[in-house]
Amino acid sequence: MMTMTFEQKMARLEEIVSKLEKGDAQLSDSLQLFEEGTKLVGECRNELDCAQQQVVKLMKGSDGAPVETEFISEE
């Protein structure tokens, strides 16, 4: 199976949500879709967590040049 990009995972999640919202799938199909969606959500969350850790905040230094500082979440 080909590895999906983050964007492909999000698109697939949108498809799954749409199908589940319609409510016309059989129970077994709905359960499979839900399981796939749950797995994709976990994978996307992991990717976003990794990306957040790589984010740096750019600030202007005393000499006017940009300075990278650690991004601190405001949560």
Side-chain angles (χ1 to χ4, degrees):
M1 183 176 157
M2 190 175 103
T3 302
M4 296 172 71
T5 66
F6 180 81
E7 291 77 11
Q8 290 169 325
K9 290 175 186 176
M10 290 300 297
R12 178 62 182 147
L13 275 171
E14 289 177 14
E15 289 175 21
I16 291 170
V17 168
S18 178
K19 287 179 181 180
L20 290 174
E21 284 179 338
K22 287 181 184 176
D24 56 0
Q26 292 190 2
L27 180 60
S28 61
D29 293 337
S30 293
L31 290 173
Q32 275 188 306
L33 288 169
F34 183 79
E35 185 176 319
E36 180 184 355
T38 302
K39 180 181 175 191
L40 288 170
V41 165
E43 291 173 5
C44 288
R45 181 176 289 128
N46 286 340
E47 287 184 46
L48 288 172
D49 287 345
C50 289
Q52 183 178 13
Q53 292 172 5
Q54 294 176 1
V55 172
V56 293
K57 185 176 179 182
L58 291 177
M59 299 182 68
K60 186 186 281 188
S62 59
D63 62 354
V67 177
E68 291 184 359
T69 60
E70 184 179 345
F71 178 81
I72 298 173
S73 177
E74 296 177 5
E75 291 181 353

